[in-house]
Amino acid sequence: MTTSTPLGTAVRADFERTFSHQPIGIWSAPGRVNLIGEHTDYNDGFVFPFAINRRTVIALGERDDRLVRVSSSFSDGVVEISLDDLSPENLHGWSAYPLGVAWALGQFGANLARVTGFEIYIDSDVPVGAGLSSSAAIESAVAVALNDVWGLDLDRRTLAKVGQLAENRAVGAPTGIMDQSASLLGQADAGVFLDCRSLESEVIPLGFDEAGLELLIIDTKVSHSHATGGYASRRASCEAGAAALGTESLRDVSVADLDRAAELLDDETFRRVRHVVTENQRVLDTVRTLREQGPTAIGALLYASHESMRDDFEISVAELDLAVETALSVGAIGARMTGGGFGGAAIALTPHALIPAVETAVIAAFAAAGFGIPDLFVVRAADGAMRNE
Ligand code: GLA
């Protein structure tokens, strides 16, 4: 693959300026947006995200000693560590993402005692904190690059697990496998239908173009962090619910089991469980509806997902609810908050001609409510991680 991008040109120059020699290659990986299937991944369930046309691009150069040095366009200076010292406890701040991947590759078979050090410069146009997986984009770009350079020959499913392990252990966020899978397995104009238990995946054409639809991102700019609070407590509720129901995970609970669950669980745990169980079903229904009727027919499922997250899982915020309701009132055919929740972005599947009207209405509604100014932009489904040069 030889695709020169403006980001690729900039990252090469930044690498040379920072490390005073030439990189041996350029790799990139996209952020992702989740069309549907929220908080289902760590419950062994189903998700349907796609990789987006916003990417993290890295330049990598080799060293002949044991040093690893990383730098980026979004931080000052160079973080330096020896391969001998790579462990989750020694990694902090943004550099835990790339360095965590180097460590995690060691947990998946790379012999870190035999490889040599490297230097990486990272640039990205994936917005941070919008729920578009800027972190998985870094992890996946570094994972494919080191997989190539160290000759590891790990497949993409394994590289997704590497990124997840880095995120869980080095960054300390108890997230699932969705983001890295989308970033590594995505294809242009298609969604990645992933079974998070078997890790079987299928790439399914979205057909947005043919249907005259666009996926509008409404970034509320309310920042979230998955390393703290709400995300972990939702995950704990799901695990408690599965244990109380005597199943390994909520994947094994079906919509038909919910009456029994209502009798066994306290109200809050029941509502957490009901979200996950019905969301798994909505992913299956969305994929089937998309195949049989096309994307204009999936709107109601997207909104049902939003209501379930707002009322049962309780991870929405007022800004996300307003974004969703406003977009729908102006003519979006479906809308929902996307990602982990507690802030970040909503998506609105919108007829092409209505995009300006939805944008104007959302900005006006936010101003009237006294909320901060949101950022709105359209994303397209793009190819997953690759070597560019
Ligand atoms: C974050 C996590 C994912 C997933 C979503 C919620 O994006 O990183 O693993 O759990 O939240 O669906």
Side-chain angles (χ1 to χ4, degrees):
M1 195 85 204
T2 50
T3 324
S4 271
T5 61
L7 268 183
T9 310
V11 85
R12 176 178 285 281
D14 286 334
F15 181 98
E16 290 175 15
R17 188 178 39 74
T18 307
F19 299 117
S20 306
H21 62 106
Q22 295 219 338
I24 59 164
I26 310 283
W27 288 259
S28 69
R32 67 96 187 91
V33 67
N34 191 15
L35 197 55
I36 195 158
E38 224 65 87
H39 287 262
T40 46
D41 59 354
Y42 56 77
N43 288 300
D44 282 348
F46 302 105
V47 293
F48 190 37
F50 62 82
I52 59 173
N53 55 334
R54 299 284 191 114
R55 300 183 83 82
T56 290
V57 181
I58 69 168
L60 184 145
E62 289 179 308
R63 295 181 61 89
D64 50 17
D65 59 11
R66 303 279 299 153
L67 269 190
V68 176
R69 305 176 77 216
V70 291
S71 187
S72 76
S73 59
F74 44 83
S75 60
D76 292 329
V78 176
V79 177
E80 189 171 293
I81 189 167
S82 162
L83 281 165
D84 304 308
D85 296 330
L86 276 183
S87 72
E89 303 71 46
N90 290 342
L91 306 180
H92 311 284
W94 72 269
S95 67
Y97 295 97
L99 297 174
V101 167
W103 165 79
L105 283 167
Q107 307 298 302
F108 277 87
N111 186 346
L112 295 187
R114 306 249 336 245
V115 297
T116 51
F118 58 89
E119 282 155 344
I120 284 182
Y121 192 93
I122 305 173
D123 197 356
S124 182
D125 65 3
V126 186
V128 175
L132 298 176
S133 294
S134 54
S135 49
I138 298 175
E139 290 153 3
S140 302
V142 174
V144 289
L146 290 178
N147 188 46
D148 283 354
V149 171
W150 287 348
L152 300 176
D153 214 17
L154 298 173
D155 65 19
R156 294 212 162 201
R157 249 188 244 184
T158 307
L159 293 179
K161 290 188 200 166
V162 166
Q164 184 193 13
L165 185 66
E167 181 105 18
N168 292 168
R169 293 284 310 283
V171 179
T175 49
I177 192 81
M178 168 170 68
D179 307 344
Q180 296 80 9
S181 300
S183 182
L184 286 155
L185 300 170
Q187 286 183 19
D189 303 320
V192 180
F193 172 39
L194 175 71
D195 177 338
C196 299
R197 172 170 273 169
S198 66
L199 296 188
E200 298 281 315
S201 63
E202 206 179 330
V203 170
I204 299 183
L206 292 167
F208 290 172
D209 265 356
E210 296 87 324
L213 295 172
E214 306 267 16
L215 196 81
L216 180 66
I217 303 288
I218 306 167
D219 179 3
T220 64
K221 297 282 190 180
V222 178
S223 73
H224 65 92
S225 163
H226 298 329
T228 51
Y231 186 95
S233 83
R234 294 307 182 280
R235 186 168 181 158
S237 289
C238 293
E239 281 158 12
L245 294 171
T247 59
E248 190 194 319
S249 76
L250 294 182
R251 162 65 175 276
D252 303 312
V253 182
S254 71
V255 173
D257 297 326
L258 285 174
D259 285 346
R260 188 177 70 94
E263 284 166 22
L264 287 172
L265 303 174
D266 65 83
D267 175 62
E268 185 181 285
T269 310
F270 172 66
R271 286 185 295 111
R272 305 297 188 247
V273 167
R274 183 166 60 185
H275 164 70
V276 173
V277 171
T278 57
E279 185 78 350
N280 272 329
Q281 188 59 47
R282 279 187 290 271
V283 176
L284 299 176
D285 291 347
T286 300
V287 169
R288 198 195 58 242
T289 305
L290 189 64
R291 279 186 168 132
E292 292 174 359
Q293 300 171 52
T296 46
I298 68 171
L301 288 160
L302 300 184
Y303 186 59
S305 168
H306 183 74
E307 288 180 298
S308 178
M309 286 188 281
R310 183 190 64 200
D311 302 336
D312 275 356
F313 219 57
E314 296 180 281
I315 56 172
S316 190
V317 296
E319 287 84 346
L320 288 166
D321 293 341
L322 184 63
V324 166
E325 300 301 337
T326 308
L328 290 172
S329 74
V330 183
I333 64 157
R336 57 184 284 276
M337 56 146 284
T338 185
F342 307 102
I347 55 173
L349 189 58
T350 306
H352 180 77
L354 291 178
I355 293 284
V358 171
E359 289 181 343
T360 307
V362 169
I363 288 167
F366 270 53
F371 295 159
I373 302 170
D375 194 12
L376 293 97
F377 52 94
V378 163
V379 289
R380 307 183 69 85
D383 284 327
M386 65 176 80
R387 181 169 190 160
N388 293 79
E389 291 171 29

